[in-house]
Amino acid sequence: MSGVILGRDAAGKMPEKIEDQCANMFGHMKAIVQAGGGTTDDIIKVTVCGWQDRTQRAPVNVEWLKMFPDEHSCPARHALQMDMKTAALVQCDFTAVIG
């Protein structure tokens, strides 16, 4: 299980655009599961929080389909709209079963 994953870039800076934050967040998710000896195929559940309104879900869906292109073998996803009250516009955590 991961902790909260934000969309900061490699230098630790938070991009202004949600599209960039989503790309970074999914990249971090992939790196974390690989560091644990797994792959994105081992991810069984993802919880995504953020965006100010439902129109901001599209950038999450773009990155989701890049990481999980097969709709029949993607993890469960729970999405929550919430006001982050920070520069972060989106965040996630995930559960994976490795081994």
Side-chain angles (χ1 to χ4, degrees):
M1 296 183 77
S2 76
V4 171
I5 302 168
L6 298 173
R8 297 186 188 281
D9 65 19
K13 186 174 180 179
M14 187 67 71
E16 290 183 25
K17 294 172 51 180
I18 192 168
E19 292 84 359
D20 297 331
Q21 288 188 28
C22 287
N24 292 341
M25 180 180 73
F26 277 84
H28 298 323
M29 186 170 23
K30 182 177 180 179
I32 291 166
V33 75
Q34 287 177 339
T39 71
T40 57
D41 290 337
D42 297 315
I43 297 173
I44 61 168
K45 182 173 187 274
V46 178
T47 301
V48 181
C49 302
W51 54 81
Q52 300 300 315
D53 62 64
R54 293 211 142 333
T55 63
Q56 293 179 317
R57 289 180 70 142
V60 172
N61 292 335
V62 166
E63 296 301 326
W64 180 270
L65 290 173
K66 287 179 187 176
M67 186 170 285
F68 308 112
D70 183 354
E71 66 181 62
H72 300 292
S73 67
C74 62
R77 179 170 90 173
H78 186 73
L80 302 167
Q81 183 178 337
M82 63 186 275
D83 183 0
M84 305 279 282
K85 299 190 189 292
T86 67
L89 301 172
V90 65
Q91 68 182 34
C92 75
D93 62 45
F94 71 90
T95 303
V97 177
I98 299 171

